[in-house]
Amino acid sequence: MNEKNIKVLIVDDFATMRKVIRNLLKQVGYEDIVEAEDGVMALKALKSQKIDVIVSDWNMPNMTGLELLKAVRADPELAKTPFLMVTAEALQDNVVAAVKAGVNNYIVKPFTAEVLNEKIKKIMDSINK
Amino acid sequence: MMNYQKLVKMLNDLAQEFLVMESSELDIPTAGKFLNQLEEILAEAKELKIDPLRGCVSVLGRILEGTIMDTLQDKAAASGVLENGIHLMQNIVESYKNTGRYDGSIQELIDRGISLVGPVKSVAPEGSTQKEAGKDGGVIPSSAPQGEDKVEIMDESLTRDFITEGLEYIEEIEINILNLENDPENKDYINAIFRPFHSIKGVASFLNLEKIRSLSHNLESLLDRARNGEISVTPPLIDVVLDGADALKTMIGELRDVLEGKEPAPSGLDIPALTVRIKKIEEGFDIGAGGKKIGEILVDDGVISEEKLNQVLREKEADPSGKKLGQTLIEEKIAKPKQVSQALRKQVDRVTDMATIRVDTIKLDDLIDMVGELVITQSMISQDLKNQEHTDKRLARDISQFFRITSALQRISTSLRMIPIKQTFQRMSRLVRDLAKNAGKQVSVELVGEDTEIDRNMIDEIYNPLVHMIRNSVDHGLEMPEERIKAGKTERGLITLKAYHRGGNIVIEIADDGKGLDKRKILDKALGAGLIHTDEGLNDQEIYKMIFMPGLSTAGKVTDVSGRGVGMDVVKRAVEKLRGKIEIESEVGEGAKFITRFPLTLAIIDGMIVKAGPEHYVLPTISILQALRPPREAYNNIVGKGETINAMGRLMPLVRLYDMFGLEPEYKNPWEAIVLVVDSERGAKCLMVDKIIGKTEVVVKSLGEGLKNVKGLTGGAILGNGRVGLIIDTEGLFEMADQR
């Protein structure tokens, strides 16, 4: 699957952070990017369009990344959507909780465009098998 | 017969899924799935009391977690151990199913597991936090000199966004921390502070802003512990978070300077000291200024000896588990839980003891006075800076920091003298009860907003006018019980005292549910007293306001009976003297409401600075009705009546300010000078000045004992240009003028 055809949804309450991730994605060839400022908006975005992968922050107001993940997995229409969790630290408790809830992978801030791309690619490869 | 069917099936499923998986492919979702399956198996194993199985699940779980966290020593070996583990579990269950026990050992699996993931750790979060802090060099900021290195901008546009959004987030933090201070138990507030730090840290890490990242990380982990209830929200914690937010703000400001190509001024920030403070509080050391450590209290109480305490403390240092001293003492049976909890309570008591102290009001007044001076000096400096052609950027930055501090200082110092109006209200409600009793009326009093704060010095001043209004409401507003019943009201009348803040003022409302003001009666009285000539064209407010005119009292009875002779005009004057205002709302048969507004403090007034000759004077803005340069024909000099100016449609006496103070003016003719129409008890007069310099807030200062009784002046103020301006007492000034 080509980067150009992968539609990424970035979820983060911090606008600058969304821009950071967007820029990184662009650097490695992603073009189709949408953003949501929290879990609630993300669910809305997911309902209205086909998203190929969610890149979501862990710590957000209203609905945390974990809650968003659980909501996505609980929704029959969205359940299969690949989910990449962005965390500030690789705190084992948090990561394991996310993994148990069905996260496809996680990435620790700060990360480079290459690592981000690699993680997304890995997810896309595994689900397209 | 135990039911092993379910467990056997679970294990078979797990084994099968593990087998179809290619060994290279223990990816995260698969690991997650296995973890969930293991959890179910564990629950079942507990149910069936298969102890060896629990050990296996724990080992496998940790290997899976290691896979997820990418912390395994030997990744390739992991799937082998997992496979063995699953087989072992199947064997154990098989054995239990047949014999009810398992004679083999799981030690080999445990050993292999440990060689993969490292030895069993006691408390996970503790270890990881410390590791994290160590990694940052957070505890001992060894990189301090390096930290002073100039900031490198990675991506300009992103940095700009970060500056704007970051500053917004810090503001959010500041608001929420004040909320938290009032409600330290509220996890929502902690969260609301935690999150912005977290976000700032995240972006800073991408932008390679190491100093900002490290500080926000430290603050975040401090708040994380508070959020988890590991440490409590104490004033020192609040302080350090506020200081941290301040420091971040300064650092972001520096970043902006760099971005704009300016040389950032030395911030004077002591980040290492701040970091140490954060760490101390995080470790629960600092329980508050002056607070005693728990160990010391226990020694004082004679529970343990000092030597013993020191010994335990030394042992504690070597023990990385991070237990609290009290906990260790209890566990080692050195102190009883009750003794420790008593000591803890004492510790808290001592801290709260420190929370309030009595201070002489004179000291407070002096402090507020000096802060007022500081604010004025500050505005002088800012004036000077504006006049300079080239402003040193660094100086400007420092000054703006200085301004922030002075305005905070001013806020805090004025708040020191603020006290709730509760006491005054309570005194008044007692008064209402006494008055009602004397008048044979029944009254309830309702107090609203008793916690509203007002300057201590204002309280005494507003008391008398408020008492008059309350008397008025009880005597004239409320009806006698039989009248009330006739009017279909409850026998018992209601007086409501209400206080609240609005626009820098305190508003005090005195409302009764009596008969309301009688407009007709007021008009008749006013006509009779010759105060008005016609009762037409007046709106309700204008009619109500007439009760404040001297010589108008609608209730002749009161003056006859009580002989007080206090009219509402006295009330109005008293209120205005305090630079307050009164309004009346009334509904016939429903009641009346007197709404008074007072400034929160008398220490600062809004003044108009005027010039007469070489001198500057300050006139309270509230007393000025109009300022004009009169045309020549508006000026008249009538024999026997003196000089007048035709202003606002009336002839008003002219008072020359320079003349009153014996100065040589710039202009002697009113049509060249400026004339201010000033309201007073003696009627409005025109005050002639050379010029209006401007309008400003000034801090009122007394002229000292020697000049206390100078007529026409109430005090002095230091003006923005550093000169002293005398504050004019208009009543006194006009009295002098009339006596000439």
Side-chain angles (χ1 to χ4, degrees), chain A residues 13-17 19 59 61 89-90 92 99-100 105-106 111, chain B residues 28 36 39 65 68-69 157 161 165 194-195 201 203 206 217:
Chain A
D13 58 311
F14 204 26
T16 315
M17 195 65 221
K19 200 166 161 187
N59 199 309
E89 288 104 355
Q92 183 156 327
V99 170
K100 281 185 181 172
N105 211 330
Y106 67 95
F111 44 80
Chain B
I28 285 174
N36 286 326
E39 216 163 71
E65 285 178 11
I68 294 166
M69 302 307 294
S157 144
D161 289 350
E165 211 176 359
F194 172 87
R195 206 178 316 105
K201 176 182 89 171
V203 176
F206 276 101
H217 168 79

PDB file of all heavy atoms in Angstrom, chain A residues 13-17 19 59 61 89-90 92 99-100 105-106 111, chain B residues 28 36 39 65 68-69 157 161 165 194-195 201 203 206 217:
ATOM      1  N   ASP A  13      -5.113  16.925  21.328  1.00  0.00           N
ATOM      2  CA  ASP A  13      -5.762  18.176  21.709  1.00  0.00           C
ATOM      3  C   ASP A  13      -4.845  19.377  21.470  1.00  0.00           C
ATOM      4  O   ASP A  13      -5.298  20.496  21.382  1.00  0.00           O
ATOM      5  CB  ASP A  13      -6.189  18.142  23.182  1.00  0.00           C
ATOM      6  CG  ASP A  13      -5.014  17.880  24.110  1.00  0.00           C
ATOM      7  OD1 ASP A  13      -4.256  16.931  23.827  1.00  0.00           O
ATOM      8  OD2 ASP A  13      -4.857  18.610  25.099  1.00  0.00           O
ATOM      9  N   PHE A  14      -3.574  19.134  21.373  1.00  0.00           N
ATOM     10  CA  PHE A  14      -2.604  20.213  21.199  1.00  0.00           C
ATOM     11  C   PHE A  14      -2.388  20.445  19.702  1.00  0.00           C
ATOM     12  O   PHE A  14      -1.859  19.582  19.002  1.00  0.00           O
ATOM     13  CB  PHE A  14      -1.302  19.784  21.876  1.00  0.00           C
ATOM     14  CG  PHE A  14      -0.404  20.922  22.307  1.00  0.00           C
ATOM     15  CD1 PHE A  14      -0.894  22.175  22.606  1.00  0.00           C
ATOM     16  CD2 PHE A  14       0.961  20.714  22.438  1.00  0.00           C
ATOM     17  CE1 PHE A  14      -0.058  23.198  23.020  1.00  0.00           C
ATOM     18  CE2 PHE A  14       1.806  21.727  22.857  1.00  0.00           C
ATOM     19  CZ  PHE A  14       1.288  22.973  23.145  1.00  0.00           C
ATOM     20  N   ALA A  15      -2.839  21.572  19.207  1.00  0.00           N
ATOM     21  CA  ALA A  15      -2.817  21.833  17.768  1.00  0.00           C
ATOM     22  C   ALA A  15      -1.394  21.755  17.205  1.00  0.00           C
ATOM     23  O   ALA A  15      -1.173  21.226  16.112  1.00  0.00           O
ATOM     24  CB  ALA A  15      -3.424  23.200  17.478  1.00  0.00           C
ATOM     25  N   THR A  16      -0.449  22.265  17.973  1.00  0.00           N
ATOM     26  CA  THR A  16       0.934  22.245  17.498  1.00  0.00           C
ATOM     27  C   THR A  16       1.412  20.805  17.316  1.00  0.00           C
ATOM     28  O   THR A  16       2.137  20.487  16.373  1.00  0.00           O
ATOM     29  CB  THR A  16       1.851  22.983  18.482  1.00  0.00           C
ATOM     30  OG1 THR A  16       1.224  24.199  18.868  1.00  0.00           O
ATOM     31  CG2 THR A  16       3.179  23.285  17.858  1.00  0.00           C
ATOM     32  N   MET A  17       0.989  19.957  18.234  1.00  0.00           N
ATOM     33  CA  MET A  17       1.381  18.547  18.143  1.00  0.00           C
ATOM     34  C   MET A  17       0.810  17.913  16.881  1.00  0.00           C
ATOM     35  O   MET A  17       1.491  17.140  16.204  1.00  0.00           O
ATOM     36  CB  MET A  17       0.859  17.821  19.392  1.00  0.00           C
ATOM     37  CG  MET A  17       1.472  16.479  19.607  1.00  0.00           C
ATOM     38  SD  MET A  17       3.228  16.616  19.941  1.00  0.00           S
ATOM     39  CE  MET A  17       3.785  15.253  18.976  1.00  0.00           C
ATOM     40  N   LYS A  19       0.192  19.398  14.182  1.00  0.00           N
ATOM     41  CA  LYS A  19       0.966  19.921  13.061  1.00  0.00           C
ATOM     42  C   LYS A  19       2.316  19.209  12.970  1.00  0.00           C
ATOM     43  O   LYS A  19       2.787  18.899  11.877  1.00  0.00           O
ATOM     44  CB  LYS A  19       1.156  21.428  13.247  1.00  0.00           C
ATOM     45  CG  LYS A  19       1.508  22.153  11.984  1.00  0.00           C
ATOM     46  CD  LYS A  19       1.331  23.648  12.176  1.00  0.00           C
ATOM     47  CE  LYS A  19       2.087  24.433  11.136  1.00  0.00           C
ATOM     48  NZ  LYS A  19       2.050  25.875  11.422  1.00  0.00           N
ATOM     49  N   ASN A  59      -2.993  11.067  26.123  1.00  0.00           N
ATOM     50  CA  ASN A  59      -3.530  11.915  27.170  1.00  0.00           C
ATOM     51  C   ASN A  59      -4.302  13.080  26.580  1.00  0.00           C
ATOM     52  O   ASN A  59      -3.718  14.022  26.065  1.00  0.00           O
ATOM     53  CB  ASN A  59      -2.352  12.441  27.997  1.00  0.00           C
ATOM     54  CG  ASN A  59      -2.800  12.945  29.337  1.00  0.00           C
ATOM     55  OD1 ASN A  59      -3.734  13.754  29.419  1.00  0.00           O
ATOM     56  ND2 ASN A  59      -2.174  12.477  30.381  1.00  0.00           N
ATOM     57  N   PRO A  61      -8.150  15.568  26.879  1.00  0.00           N
ATOM     58  CA  PRO A  61      -9.347  15.853  27.676  1.00  0.00           C
ATOM     59  C   PRO A  61     -10.584  15.192  27.049  1.00  0.00           C
ATOM     60  O   PRO A  61     -10.506  14.714  25.912  1.00  0.00           O
ATOM     61  CB  PRO A  61      -9.451  17.374  27.623  1.00  0.00           C
ATOM     62  CG  PRO A  61      -8.726  17.773  26.394  1.00  0.00           C
ATOM     63  CD  PRO A  61      -7.681  16.745  26.150  1.00  0.00           C
ATOM     64  N   GLU A  89       5.782   8.596  27.385  1.00  0.00           N
ATOM     65  CA  GLU A  89       6.770   7.670  27.895  1.00  0.00           C
ATOM     66  C   GLU A  89       6.258   6.271  27.652  1.00  0.00           C
ATOM     67  O   GLU A  89       5.065   6.049  27.630  1.00  0.00           O
ATOM     68  CB  GLU A  89       6.957   7.793  29.413  1.00  0.00           C
ATOM     69  CG  GLU A  89       7.655   9.002  29.865  1.00  0.00           C
ATOM     70  CD  GLU A  89       6.682  10.010  30.442  1.00  0.00           C
ATOM     71  OE1 GLU A  89       5.456   9.773  30.379  1.00  0.00           O
ATOM     72  OE2 GLU A  89       7.150  11.017  30.906  1.00  0.00           O
ATOM     73  N   ALA A  90       7.200   5.350  27.548  1.00  0.00           N
ATOM     74  CA  ALA A  90       6.789   3.971  27.417  1.00  0.00           C
ATOM     75  C   ALA A  90       6.518   3.438  28.819  1.00  0.00           C
ATOM     76  O   ALA A  90       7.272   2.640  29.347  1.00  0.00           O
ATOM     77  CB  ALA A  90       7.876   3.169  26.717  1.00  0.00           C
ATOM     78  N   GLN A  92       5.004   1.056  31.174  1.00  0.00           N
ATOM     79  CA  GLN A  92       4.530  -0.288  30.876  1.00  0.00           C
ATOM     80  C   GLN A  92       3.037  -0.449  31.151  1.00  0.00           C
ATOM     81  O   GLN A  92       2.320  -1.030  30.344  1.00  0.00           O
ATOM     82  CB  GLN A  92       5.333  -1.298  31.698  1.00  0.00           C
ATOM     83  CG  GLN A  92       4.929  -2.709  31.377  1.00  0.00           C
ATOM     84  CD  GLN A  92       6.044  -3.684  31.694  1.00  0.00           C
ATOM     85  OE1 GLN A  92       7.212  -3.354  31.575  1.00  0.00           O
ATOM     86  NE2 GLN A  92       5.656  -4.878  32.091  1.00  0.00           N
ATOM     87  N   VAL A  99      -2.430  -2.199  24.710  1.00  0.00           N
ATOM     88  CA  VAL A  99      -2.252  -3.412  23.909  1.00  0.00           C
ATOM     89  C   VAL A  99      -3.385  -4.396  24.186  1.00  0.00           C
ATOM     90  O   VAL A  99      -3.961  -4.981  23.278  1.00  0.00           O
ATOM     91  CB  VAL A  99      -0.876  -4.054  24.204  1.00  0.00           C
ATOM     92  CG1 VAL A  99      -0.786  -5.429  23.569  1.00  0.00           C
ATOM     93  CG2 VAL A  99       0.237  -3.156  23.681  1.00  0.00           C
ATOM     94  N   LYS A 100      -3.736  -4.515  25.456  1.00  0.00           N
ATOM     95  CA  LYS A 100      -4.844  -5.412  25.804  1.00  0.00           C
ATOM     96  C   LYS A 100      -6.148  -4.940  25.187  1.00  0.00           C
ATOM     97  O   LYS A 100      -7.021  -5.737  24.871  1.00  0.00           O
ATOM     98  CB  LYS A 100      -4.996  -5.495  27.320  1.00  0.00           C
ATOM     99  CG  LYS A 100      -4.000  -6.409  27.983  1.00  0.00           C
ATOM    100  CD  LYS A 100      -4.320  -6.497  29.456  1.00  0.00           C
ATOM    101  CE  LYS A 100      -3.351  -7.377  30.188  1.00  0.00           C
ATOM    102  NZ  LYS A 100      -3.580  -7.271  31.637  1.00  0.00           N
ATOM    103  N   ASN A 105      -0.207  -0.742  17.543  1.00  0.00           N
ATOM    104  CA  ASN A 105       1.178  -0.464  17.900  1.00  0.00           C
ATOM    105  C   ASN A 105       1.212   0.834  18.692  1.00  0.00           C
ATOM    106  O   ASN A 105       0.197   1.520  18.790  1.00  0.00           O
ATOM    107  CB  ASN A 105       2.062  -0.344  16.649  1.00  0.00           C
ATOM    108  CG  ASN A 105       3.475  -0.814  16.938  1.00  0.00           C
ATOM    109  OD1 ASN A 105       3.966  -0.706  18.057  1.00  0.00           O
ATOM    110  ND2 ASN A 105       4.142  -1.345  15.924  1.00  0.00           N
ATOM    111  N   TYR A 106       2.361   1.147  19.249  1.00  0.00           N
ATOM    112  CA  TYR A 106       2.480   2.412  19.951  1.00  0.00           C
ATOM    113  C   TYR A 106       3.793   3.051  19.561  1.00  0.00           C
ATOM    114  O   TYR A 106       4.699   2.384  19.048  1.00  0.00           O
ATOM    115  CB  TYR A 106       2.397   2.221  21.465  1.00  0.00           C
ATOM    116  CG  TYR A 106       3.569   1.472  22.051  1.00  0.00           C
ATOM    117  CD1 TYR A 106       4.667   2.152  22.585  1.00  0.00           C
ATOM    118  CD2 TYR A 106       3.593   0.083  22.053  1.00  0.00           C
ATOM    119  CE1 TYR A 106       5.743   1.475  23.101  1.00  0.00           C
ATOM    120  CE2 TYR A 106       4.675  -0.615  22.567  1.00  0.00           C
ATOM    121  CZ  TYR A 106       5.745   0.080  23.090  1.00  0.00           C
ATOM    122  OH  TYR A 106       6.814  -0.599  23.590  1.00  0.00           O
ATOM    123  N   PHE A 111       9.548  11.171  18.096  1.00  0.00           N
ATOM    124  CA  PHE A 111       9.934  10.151  17.125  1.00  0.00           C
ATOM    125  C   PHE A 111      10.241  10.820  15.791  1.00  0.00           C
ATOM    126  O   PHE A 111       9.855  11.967  15.563  1.00  0.00           O
ATOM    127  CB  PHE A 111       8.828   9.107  16.961  1.00  0.00           C
ATOM    128  CG  PHE A 111       7.445   9.702  16.850  1.00  0.00           C
ATOM    129  CD1 PHE A 111       6.974  10.230  15.654  1.00  0.00           C
ATOM    130  CD2 PHE A 111       6.611   9.731  17.967  1.00  0.00           C
ATOM    131  CE1 PHE A 111       5.700  10.763  15.566  1.00  0.00           C
ATOM    132  CE2 PHE A 111       5.335  10.277  17.884  1.00  0.00           C
ATOM    133  CZ  PHE A 111       4.880  10.792  16.678  1.00  0.00           C
TER     134      PHE A 111
ATOM    135  N   ILE B  28       2.492  -6.760  18.187  1.00  0.00           N
ATOM    136  CA  ILE B  28       1.815  -6.197  19.353  1.00  0.00           C
ATOM    137  C   ILE B  28       0.365  -6.644  19.496  1.00  0.00           C
ATOM    138  O   ILE B  28      -0.051  -7.075  20.577  1.00  0.00           O
ATOM    139  CB  ILE B  28       1.973  -4.668  19.355  1.00  0.00           C
ATOM    140  CG1 ILE B  28       3.412  -4.354  19.784  1.00  0.00           C
ATOM    141  CG2 ILE B  28       0.992  -3.987  20.296  1.00  0.00           C
ATOM    142  CD1 ILE B  28       3.787  -2.907  19.709  1.00  0.00           C
ATOM    143  N   ASN B  36      -4.635 -11.059  27.057  1.00  0.00           N
ATOM    144  CA  ASN B  36      -6.024 -11.162  27.477  1.00  0.00           C
ATOM    145  C   ASN B  36      -6.402 -12.609  27.763  1.00  0.00           C
ATOM    146  O   ASN B  36      -7.098 -12.896  28.736  1.00  0.00           O
ATOM    147  CB  ASN B  36      -6.953 -10.583  26.404  1.00  0.00           C
ATOM    148  CG  ASN B  36      -6.888  -9.061  26.391  1.00  0.00           C
ATOM    149  OD1 ASN B  36      -6.720  -8.429  27.431  1.00  0.00           O
ATOM    150  ND2 ASN B  36      -7.003  -8.478  25.211  1.00  0.00           N
ATOM    151  N   GLU B  39      -4.997 -13.697  30.994  1.00  0.00           N
ATOM    152  CA  GLU B  39      -5.744 -13.143  32.108  1.00  0.00           C
ATOM    153  C   GLU B  39      -6.947 -14.025  32.448  1.00  0.00           C
ATOM    154  O   GLU B  39      -7.235 -14.287  33.614  1.00  0.00           O
ATOM    155  CB  GLU B  39      -6.223 -11.743  31.736  1.00  0.00           C
ATOM    156  CG  GLU B  39      -6.218 -10.788  32.898  1.00  0.00           C
ATOM    157  CD  GLU B  39      -6.300  -9.355  32.416  1.00  0.00           C
ATOM    158  OE1 GLU B  39      -7.392  -8.970  31.929  1.00  0.00           O
ATOM    159  OE2 GLU B  39      -5.284  -8.632  32.494  1.00  0.00           O
ATOM    160  N   GLU B  65       4.810  -8.882  27.952  1.00  0.00           N
ATOM    161  CA  GLU B  65       4.957  -7.447  28.208  1.00  0.00           C
ATOM    162  C   GLU B  65       6.326  -6.954  27.762  1.00  0.00           C
ATOM    163  O   GLU B  65       6.455  -5.875  27.198  1.00  0.00           O
ATOM    164  CB  GLU B  65       4.753  -7.154  29.707  1.00  0.00           C
ATOM    165  CG  GLU B  65       3.295  -7.220  30.103  1.00  0.00           C
ATOM    166  CD  GLU B  65       3.071  -6.972  31.589  1.00  0.00           C
ATOM    167  OE1 GLU B  65       4.027  -6.551  32.273  1.00  0.00           O
ATOM    168  OE2 GLU B  65       1.956  -7.210  32.051  1.00  0.00           O
ATOM    169  N   ILE B  68       6.236  -6.461  24.146  1.00  0.00           N
ATOM    170  CA  ILE B  68       5.545  -5.224  23.792  1.00  0.00           C
ATOM    171  C   ILE B  68       6.435  -4.013  24.070  1.00  0.00           C
ATOM    172  O   ILE B  68       6.545  -3.101  23.245  1.00  0.00           O
ATOM    173  CB  ILE B  68       4.231  -5.099  24.603  1.00  0.00           C
ATOM    174  CG1 ILE B  68       3.249  -6.192  24.192  1.00  0.00           C
ATOM    175  CG2 ILE B  68       3.606  -3.725  24.417  1.00  0.00           C
ATOM    176  CD1 ILE B  68       2.084  -6.375  25.138  1.00  0.00           C
ATOM    177  N   MET B  69       7.080  -4.046  25.212  1.00  0.00           N
ATOM    178  CA  MET B  69       7.895  -2.896  25.602  1.00  0.00           C
ATOM    179  C   MET B  69       9.274  -2.936  24.939  1.00  0.00           C
ATOM    180  O   MET B  69      10.042  -1.998  25.105  1.00  0.00           O
ATOM    181  CB  MET B  69       8.088  -2.852  27.120  1.00  0.00           C
ATOM    182  CG  MET B  69       6.809  -2.787  27.939  1.00  0.00           C
ATOM    183  SD  MET B  69       5.715  -1.461  27.447  1.00  0.00           S
ATOM    184  CE  MET B  69       6.706  -0.041  27.884  1.00  0.00           C
ATOM    185  N   SER B 157       7.927  27.758  11.790  1.00  0.00           N
ATOM    186  CA  SER B 157       6.467  27.844  11.832  1.00  0.00           C
ATOM    187  C   SER B 157       5.905  27.060  13.018  1.00  0.00           C
ATOM    188  O   SER B 157       5.030  27.534  13.741  1.00  0.00           O
ATOM    189  CB  SER B 157       5.916  27.334  10.509  1.00  0.00           C
ATOM    190  OG  SER B 157       4.738  26.638  10.702  1.00  0.00           O
ATOM    191  N   ASP B 161       3.801  28.342  16.415  1.00  0.00           N
ATOM    192  CA  ASP B 161       2.558  27.737  16.919  1.00  0.00           C
ATOM    193  C   ASP B 161       2.726  27.313  18.367  1.00  0.00           C
ATOM    194  O   ASP B 161       1.843  27.507  19.201  1.00  0.00           O
ATOM    195  CB  ASP B 161       2.197  26.495  16.095  1.00  0.00           C
ATOM    196  CG  ASP B 161       1.741  26.868  14.708  1.00  0.00           C
ATOM    197  OD1 ASP B 161       1.536  28.067  14.470  1.00  0.00           O
ATOM    198  OD2 ASP B 161       1.592  25.963  13.876  1.00  0.00           O
ATOM    199  N   GLU B 165       0.379  28.555  21.384  1.00  0.00           N
ATOM    200  CA  GLU B 165      -0.471  27.574  22.059  1.00  0.00           C
ATOM    201  C   GLU B 165       0.067  27.256  23.453  1.00  0.00           C
ATOM    202  O   GLU B 165      -0.693  27.077  24.398  1.00  0.00           O
ATOM    203  CB  GLU B 165      -0.580  26.306  21.217  1.00  0.00           C
ATOM    204  CG  GLU B 165      -1.903  25.621  21.404  1.00  0.00           C
ATOM    205  CD  GLU B 165      -2.050  24.415  20.489  1.00  0.00           C
ATOM    206  OE1 GLU B 165      -1.134  24.125  19.691  1.00  0.00           O
ATOM    207  OE2 GLU B 165      -3.079  23.755  20.582  1.00  0.00           O
ATOM    208  N   PHE B 194      -2.252  18.854  34.792  1.00  0.00           N
ATOM    209  CA  PHE B 194      -1.335  17.831  34.303  1.00  0.00           C
ATOM    210  C   PHE B 194      -1.268  17.846  32.775  1.00  0.00           C
ATOM    211  O   PHE B 194      -0.193  17.833  32.190  1.00  0.00           O
ATOM    212  CB  PHE B 194      -1.837  16.469  34.796  1.00  0.00           C
ATOM    213  CG  PHE B 194      -1.117  15.283  34.230  1.00  0.00           C
ATOM    214  CD1 PHE B 194       0.031  14.811  34.835  1.00  0.00           C
ATOM    215  CD2 PHE B 194      -1.581  14.647  33.096  1.00  0.00           C
ATOM    216  CE1 PHE B 194       0.696  13.727  34.317  1.00  0.00           C
ATOM    217  CE2 PHE B 194      -0.920  13.557  32.571  1.00  0.00           C
ATOM    218  CZ  PHE B 194       0.224  13.097  33.184  1.00  0.00           C
ATOM    219  N   ARG B 195      -2.416  17.882  32.147  1.00  0.00           N
ATOM    220  CA  ARG B 195      -2.484  17.701  30.707  1.00  0.00           C
ATOM    221  C   ARG B 195      -1.719  18.758  29.916  1.00  0.00           C
ATOM    222  O   ARG B 195      -0.938  18.412  29.022  1.00  0.00           O
ATOM    223  CB  ARG B 195      -3.927  17.596  30.248  1.00  0.00           C
ATOM    224  CG  ARG B 195      -4.045  16.825  28.979  1.00  0.00           C
ATOM    225  CD  ARG B 195      -5.458  16.644  28.519  1.00  0.00           C
ATOM    226  NE  ARG B 195      -6.374  16.293  29.562  1.00  0.00           N
ATOM    227  CZ  ARG B 195      -7.249  17.125  30.100  1.00  0.00           C
ATOM    228  NH1 ARG B 195      -7.295  18.373  29.678  1.00  0.00           N
ATOM    229  NH2 ARG B 195      -8.057  16.740  31.034  1.00  0.00           N
ATOM    230  N   LYS B 201       5.298  19.326  27.009  1.00  0.00           N
ATOM    231  CA  LYS B 201       6.459  18.437  26.999  1.00  0.00           C
ATOM    232  C   LYS B 201       6.560  17.708  25.664  1.00  0.00           C
ATOM    233  O   LYS B 201       7.631  17.627  25.065  1.00  0.00           O
ATOM    234  CB  LYS B 201       6.338  17.422  28.141  1.00  0.00           C
ATOM    235  CG  LYS B 201       7.462  16.410  28.125  1.00  0.00           C
ATOM    236  CD  LYS B 201       7.313  15.386  29.219  1.00  0.00           C
ATOM    237  CE  LYS B 201       6.496  14.219  28.722  1.00  0.00           C
ATOM    238  NZ  LYS B 201       6.492  13.104  29.673  1.00  0.00           N
ATOM    239  N   VAL B 203       5.414  18.392  22.622  1.00  0.00           N
ATOM    240  CA  VAL B 203       5.848  19.186  21.476  1.00  0.00           C
ATOM    241  C   VAL B 203       7.298  19.634  21.654  1.00  0.00           C
ATOM    242  O   VAL B 203       8.091  19.604  20.716  1.00  0.00           O
ATOM    243  CB  VAL B 203       4.916  20.387  21.252  1.00  0.00           C
ATOM    244  CG1 VAL B 203       5.443  21.251  20.124  1.00  0.00           C
ATOM    245  CG2 VAL B 203       3.521  19.915  20.931  1.00  0.00           C
ATOM    246  N   PHE B 206       9.766  17.241  20.436  1.00  0.00           N
ATOM    247  CA  PHE B 206       9.948  17.217  18.984  1.00  0.00           C
ATOM    248  C   PHE B 206      10.775  18.389  18.507  1.00  0.00           C
ATOM    249  O   PHE B 206      11.538  18.286  17.562  1.00  0.00           O
ATOM    250  CB  PHE B 206       8.592  17.268  18.279  1.00  0.00           C
ATOM    251  CG  PHE B 206       7.956  15.926  18.163  1.00  0.00           C
ATOM    252  CD1 PHE B 206       6.961  15.541  19.021  1.00  0.00           C
ATOM    253  CD2 PHE B 206       8.376  15.040  17.184  1.00  0.00           C
ATOM    254  CE1 PHE B 206       6.375  14.296  18.917  1.00  0.00           C
ATOM    255  CE2 PHE B 206       7.800  13.791  17.074  1.00  0.00           C
ATOM    256  CZ  PHE B 206       6.797  13.417  17.949  1.00  0.00           C
ATOM    257  N   HIS B 217       8.384  18.054  32.025  1.00  0.00           N
ATOM    258  CA  HIS B 217       8.338  16.640  32.397  1.00  0.00           C
ATOM    259  C   HIS B 217       8.348  16.481  33.917  1.00  0.00           C
ATOM    260  O   HIS B 217       7.565  15.702  34.470  1.00  0.00           O
ATOM    261  CB  HIS B 217       9.525  15.888  31.795  1.00  0.00           C
ATOM    262  CG  HIS B 217       9.693  14.511  32.366  1.00  0.00           C
ATOM    263  ND1 HIS B 217       8.908  13.463  31.949  1.00  0.00           N
ATOM    264  CD2 HIS B 217      10.494  14.034  33.333  1.00  0.00           C
ATOM    265  CE1 HIS B 217       9.244  12.380  32.650  1.00  0.00           C
ATOM    266  NE2 HIS B 217      10.200  12.711  33.499  1.00  0.00           N
TER     267      HIS B 217
END
